[in-house]
Amino acid sequence: MANSSRAPGRSRRLRAALVVSAAVGLLATAGAVVLPGSASAASTLGASAAERGRYFGTAVAVSRLNDSAYTTILNREFNQVTAENEMKIDALQPNQGQFNYGNADRLVQHARSQGMLVRGHTLAWHSQQPGWMQNMSGTTLRNAMLNHVTQVATHFRGQIEWWDVVNEAFADGGSGARRDSNLQRTGNDWIEAAFRAARQADPNADLCYNDYNIDNWSDAKTQAVYRMVQDFKSRGVPIDCVGLQSHFTGGSNYPSNYRTTLSSFAALGVDVHITELDIRNAPSDAYRNVVNDCLAVARCKGITVWGIRDSDSWRSSENPLLFNGSGQKKPAYDAVLAALNNGTTPPTGNPTTPPPTGNPTTPPPGGGCTATVTPGQVWGDRYNTSVTVSGASTWSVVVAITPPQRISSTWSGSPTWDSSGNVMTMRSNGSGNTFGFTTMMNGNSSARPQIRSCTAG
Ligand code: G2I
């Protein structure tokens, strides 16, 4: 399936969303222009990244959402989340055919309530396979893998901005070969098969290949992944992005050619994401360099750190993160925020008024049901909307948004989009009669979604 067959609802244009506009609402409100280093510079990582057209996210361990010190930092600083473990194969399908979405859904719900973007991690991986899958091979394994991809991507459809479709499929060292694994032994085309299945299940999510030790442009592993992406693009395999995990810890350092790596992948026509950043002992210089490199590459969409506090890290003894165990900001935090604030602000639309917080609007009646809009939370770059349907238990509601605004995620319904990407038809999916969505303002902070019709059945 070629990219052109994607539904447009969360296409590349949307990526610009996060992106361009966070500053806009804030600046409009403040009536000021943020200059590098000026007094009005953003004071959190997420808000500052959004001003530069990026996100700043973190891996989240769902069990820690009960820790209020943790959640306070999460909600204040970050506008993107990745499940540290809860969307892995063993977590989601512990027994064949039995899917466990509880923890993952909880994270998605938390993200939605905060307007955070969600990266899904990961659909196909040689590691963290449940026992039943580890023991499989051949066609049986290939089919089980594809079924997992399809089931999971379908379950989360409309809620995931980017999927790490395949994780860590290349070998370390100088061979440039694929990593040997049970999945690899099902045939070299397992990666593209996974991407095709993911595209089919969720045409609106961007699909990434994610790996570690592909940060140094000179490394054979980096070159091998580059050639795979080049090949996929040339053959129309649906790939949208490459994730560089960037664990600069435990023996691998920030390489001086990192920016070359980012821009070289981007030149293939894919976005690049820094997906699991942590740096041993959190040196400010290295963190600053990573931020500056991402900001220098237009297709570098954002940075995710692999945990919030050092005590949350998978390598806590290396203190590789931006907050210490007490939740205090470390020098690396200040370096990252300053680098973000000093970055170039991408061109934006011309906002005039701050987002209205006005009253619910009642749309025109449709064929047998009524859809009532309730405005939800508003952030600098985006806002939530809820729509409640009365008069029918199964329904479809047509919602139009005003470009350049884009819908970035939805919940409690099954969305499809028209070819412009501006008109969403939301169908009931058994989740009740209230659905919702997040809209990125993209430079227009005043427009609000319009209900075009509500049709029963
Ligand atoms: O290893 C660091 C990361 C490398 N890239 C892919 C990531 O998915 C990976 O994350 C780590 C998590 O940070 C760890 O938390 O992946 C590990 C393996 O999946 C995670 O470790 C696992 C332990 O191996 C399990 O024993 C444990 O039950 O964490 C699980 C939950 O705490």
Side-chain angles (χ1 to χ4, degrees), residues 112 385-387 407 409-413 424 426 434-438:
R112 175 196 312 156
T385 305
S386 295
V387 178
I407 292 175
S409 69
T410 69
W411 54 93
S412 306
M424 174 179 74
M426 181 66 96
T434 297
F435 68 89
F437 52 96
T438 301

Side-chain angles (χ1 to χ4, degrees), residues 53-102:
R54 312 299 203 285
Y55 63 82
F56 204 100
T58 180
V60 168
V62 170
S63 60
R64 292 195 166 90
L65 291 176
N66 296 327
D67 170 350
S68 67
Y70 179 89
T71 310
T72 298
I73 303 173
L74 170 65
N75 295 351
R76 185 186 70 217
E77 296 288 343
F78 299 98
N79 56 7
Q80 181 274 333
V81 289
T82 304
E84 186 172 357
N85 288 298
E86 294 80 356
M87 290 190 191
K88 292 176 180 174
I89 313 172
D90 59 350
L92 292 184
Q93 199 181 173
N95 299 300
Q96 190 171 15
Q98 182 227 316
F99 289 84
N100 247 356
Y101 290 115

Side-chain angles (χ1 to χ4, degrees), residues 84-85 88 121 125 128 167-168 245 247 276 306 314:
E84 186 172 357
N85 288 298
K88 292 176 180 174
H121 173 81
W125 191 20
Q128 296 296 111
N167 196 38
E168 302 177 356
Q245 294 183 8
H247 290 292
E276 305 184 14
W306 205 241
W314 67 303

